[in-house]
Amino acid sequence: TRTQVAIVGAGPAGLTLAHLLRRQGVEAVVLERRTRAHVESRLRAGVLEQPTVDLLRELGLAARLDAEAMTHRGVRLRFAGATHRLDLSGLTGGRAITIYGQHELVKDLIAARLADGDPILFEVDEVELSGLDADPVVRYLRHGRRRELRCSIVAGADGFRGVTRGYLPGTVFEQLQPFAWLGILARTAPSSDELVYAAHEDGFALHSMRGPALTRQYVQVPPDVDVAAWPAERIWQTLRRRLGHGDGLDLPVGPILDVTVAAMRAVVTEPMRHGRLFLLGDAAHIVPATGAKGLNLAVADAAALSYAIGAWAGGAPAELDRYSSRCLDRVWRTQRFSVWLSQLTHRLPGEDAVDRRLRETALSELVSCPHTGAAFAERYVGQPLPTPW
Ligand code: FAD
Ligand code: DHB
């Protein structure tokens, strides 16, 4: 079979691209390694930037999001024993962040695509690419049968552990941060109506949520952490200590539903293109999670790529040549923000008392100086997408 664009990976990047291409009349087939049930229940990000939400609304994909998601107009920063509020909306002319689980978004994007009658092939294995110079062919195994999909363009949206990034001969910039996150999903009511980022001298903690009775929290742990060393009691004690039980949050204890470890790394692949293969999302780059940018960056890449492919389909192929550099500019700015915020809020190995005071000073400038606060808020709620959608 043949299609215009083969999209490898049904995460936020691949699915958003598929919807944007459809709107421009470009045909695509999405190939996904896992089952539909698996991708619809995989626990990942939770913060959507304003431009991400605006794009989803414009595509008519935000009905459930608008009914169920939480809008946050501010964010709390806790350091030196006190909690401070940053008025995100006040500092950005009314913009906000939206709390909506990534798997809920993925569910919405899949349902809408299938309702349109457009293909997503789940349980596709052993994806192999060839002909990337001119005439791409995607070979794969599905339900025991070998298949071939011919196309004009391959979009590699299969994440950091996918196969498409392996076809890029360019440079991979990679830095592992000296800390990781233990992610905890618990059946407890959130203790704050906004997210709380805590820079405690023991280490970082983050209080987030997925609904009125579901919290999503993170604590800084060493990269080589053994999850067995973190029984529920230790998790709650650590969260209470770092988030400030009593003077900070009144954290109720409840059943823990899930505990996972996430490494923190900064990765950028340059360029994000090789011949007819274009990478987007986590396949092309990873940002440390602290800034809540990964999913949003995936959507921004999808917007840029759909624009370039739309132009190509309309007879202006030069836009494809601009895709990588256009994305990389935003990618490195987002990388800088994410690494900076991580280092500002985490305990770093080998740090001393002076380092801690300097960090507290930077944090207090953030909540007391309107210019510094506004610069942060602009980046946190998200900068406009690269194309006029
Ligand atoms: P993915 O979501 O990884 O999707 C890739 C898809 O490709 C998957 O469905 C996968 O099954 C499929 N695939 C893989 N290999 C193959 C193959 N060989 N063939 C076919 N299909 C394949 N980002 C934020 O913006 N805000 C946050 O709050 C946030 N918090 C996070 C918290 C944690 C704990 C983690 C781990 C990440 C967080 N992120 C956050 C990052 C965010 O989840 C990712 O950046 C996002 O998933 C990227 O989307 P993607 O579509 O590029 O990749
Ligand atoms: C969440 C994840 C983040 O990385 C972050 O900065 C804020 C919230 C979350 O999963 O809710």
Side-chain angles (χ1 to χ4, degrees):
T1 44
R2 179 163 190 106
T3 188
Q4 284 177 292
V5 182
I7 301 176
V8 186
L15 291 168
T16 305
L17 177 66
H19 280 283
L20 286 163
L21 290 177
R22 173 175 222 275
R23 194 174 64 167
Q24 301 181 93
V26 176
E27 204 182 81
V29 174
V30 180
L31 306 164
E32 165 61 47
R33 188 161 63 98
R34 302 293 202 143
T35 63
R36 181 176 179 184
H38 181 92
V39 300
E40 290 187 345
S41 60
R42 196 167 39 195
L43 203 60
R44 303 285 288 274
V47 177
L48 305 186
E49 294 178 350
Q50 184 74 56
T52 300
V53 172
D54 292 345
L55 177 70
L56 293 167
R57 285 199 182 122
E58 215 183 301
L59 286 169
L61 295 168
R64 199 163 67 92
L65 181 149
D66 279 329
E68 296 178 14
M70 293 170 280
T71 303
H72 287 187
R73 306 202 159 276
V75 64
R76 313 287 164 95
L77 295 179
R78 182 173 174 84
F79 57 92
T83 303
H84 307 260
R85 179 171 193 266
L86 257 180
D87 178 7
L88 294 173
S89 288
L91 290 162
T92 60
R95 287 183 277 154
I97 57 162
T98 298
I99 311 301
Y100 194 59
Q102 176 171 326
H103 64 285
E104 303 293 348
L105 175 63
V106 164
K107 266 187 223 169
D108 297 346
L109 296 176
I110 289 173
R113 179 161 175 87
L114 297 178
D116 286 340
D118 290 337
I120 306 177
L121 306 181
F122 291 99
E123 298 168 75
V124 158
D125 223 338
E126 298 182 23
V127 166
E128 277 178 29
L129 311 180
S130 57
L132 292 175
D133 289 338
D135 241 329
V137 183
V138 182
R139 292 193 174 79
Y140 60 92
L141 179 68
R142 184 162 190 251
H143 301 162
R145 300 176 83 161
R146 303 243 163 232
R147 308 255 182 202
E148 255 186 38
L149 178 63
R150 296 185 171 272
C151 58
S152 301
I153 287 173
V154 181
D158 51 348
F160 185 58
R161 311 245 167 247
V163 294
T164 59
R165 60 195 297 266
Y167 288 88
L168 265 84
T171 308
V172 179
F173 295 87
E174 176 155 13
Q175 190 176 69
L176 203 60
Q177 302 294 311
F179 43 78
W181 279 9
L182 199 65
I184 301 118
L185 183 75
R187 198 175 301 291
T188 53
S191 305
S192 162
D193 53 356
E194 293 172 347
L195 305 195
V196 185
Y197 289 82
H200 191 272
E201 62 178 25
D202 289 355
F204 173 80
L206 170 58
H207 185 73
S208 179
M209 60 205 71
R210 288 293 181 274
L214 212 50
T215 51
R216 180 67 174 154
Q217 303 181 85
Y218 301 95
V219 293
Q220 177 185 351
V221 291
D224 59 354
V225 66
D226 175 9
V227 182
W230 284 84
E233 199 176 316
R234 183 176 181 198
I235 289 174
W236 289 116
Q237 263 174 14
T238 304
L239 284 168
R240 283 164 172 243
R241 185 168 155 77
R242 297 188 188 176
L243 292 163
H245 192 60
D247 65 322
L249 290 188
D250 191 17
L251 275 191
V253 169
I256 291 179
L257 309 177
D258 185 77
V259 179
T260 44
V261 180
M264 291 283 146
R265 44 163 69 87
V267 181
V268 180
T269 303
E270 278 192 27
M272 288 165 56
R273 174 216 186 148
H274 174 60
R276 295 282 179 134
L277 169 65
F278 296 80
L279 294 192
L280 65 162
D282 279 15
H285 41 68
I286 298 285
V287 294
T290 320
K293 293 295 174 211
L295 185 162
N296 297 289
L297 206 49
V299 170
D301 288 349
L305 186 54
S306 79
Y307 174 76
I309 293 176
W312 161 81
E319 284 299 328
L320 289 177
D321 299 332
R322 300 195 186 102
Y323 167 72
S324 177
S325 58
R326 206 171 262 164
C327 285
L328 283 166
D329 178 56
R330 186 187 186 95
V331 167
W332 278 111
R333 282 186 287 119
T334 307
Q335 196 67 268
R336 190 205 68 81
F337 176 80
S338 302
V339 170
W340 165 79
L341 188 63
S342 299
Q343 300 197 339
L344 188 64
T345 51
H346 287 66
R347 186 190 167 105
L348 303 174
E351 69 176 25
D352 61 18
V354 172
D355 294 320
R356 281 195 281 281
R357 279 283 190 275
L358 291 173
R359 188 158 65 217
E360 284 170 13
T361 304
L363 283 161
S364 80
E365 256 171 31
L366 212 51
V367 296
S368 62
C369 165
H371 298 293
T372 312
F376 170 84
E378 287 281 336
R379 286 169 180 78
Y380 188 70
V381 301
Q383 309 208 280
L385 288 173
T387 47
W389 296 118

